[in-house]
Amino acid sequence: MIGVATVGAIVGVLLVGLVVLVRRPTDTRSVFRWSALAITVLVAASLTPFTVDDSGTAASYLLGVPVAAALLPVLAQRVGRLTLVADLVAALVLTGWGLLLGLGIGVAFLPAVILLIASAVGTWAPRPSTT
């Protein structure tokens, strides 16, 4: 089950990258943030039965921390402040949590980190000229 969730997350990240390259949306950082949240939520949802069977009530924080971390950049974007910091903190939390739980469910959360890093890197990218 963990392997299926991990492969699904990797395929999701690749599809988001392909869509961004082909469609060239005006706000790619928003697409990356929302996609990271969606992938994280889908991974958590797919791993819920396995995690509840394995860990019982601890599943609430084992799966809740990555979802809360992925939600942080989306909320920062809605507020309009500190989006770069939120992207980096979320990527750091997801990476740390993924490595902490690396022998179990943590690996499935790592692909979403790529999207959050891409969103943070997009902050420093020069804007295209309109002239």
Side-chain angles (χ1 to χ4, degrees):
M1 185 59 151
I2 298 169
V4 172
T6 304
V7 169
I10 292 170
V11 168
V13 169
L14 291 174
L15 286 175
V16 170
L18 183 64
V19 166
V20 166
L21 285 174
V22 171
R23 300 289 304 230
R24 302 237 183 233
T26 56
D27 191 8
T28 58
R29 290 176 296 187
S30 177
V31 171
F32 287 144
R33 289 181 189 120
W34 279 101
S35 298
L37 176 61
I39 288 170
T40 303
V41 167
L42 289 173
V43 165
S46 68
L47 292 176
T48 296
F50 170 76
T51 308
V52 169
D53 287 344
D54 187 49
S55 302
T57 57
S60 62
Y61 70 84
L62 290 174
L63 299 173
V65 169
V67 172
L71 183 62
L72 181 67
V74 172
L75 292 177
Q77 176 184 339
R78 299 287 289 170
V79 173
R81 306 193 92 192
L82 300 173
T83 54
L84 173 63
V85 173
D87 287 337
L88 294 176
V89 167
L92 183 65
V93 169
L94 274 175
T95 301
W97 201 252
L99 293 176
L100 181 67
L101 303 175
L103 296 176
I105 63 172
V107 176
F109 292 109
L110 292 177
V113 173
I114 296 168
L115 295 175
L116 293 171
I117 291 172
S119 176
V121 169
T123 304
W124 292 313
R127 296 193 176 170
S129 174
T130 58
T131 58

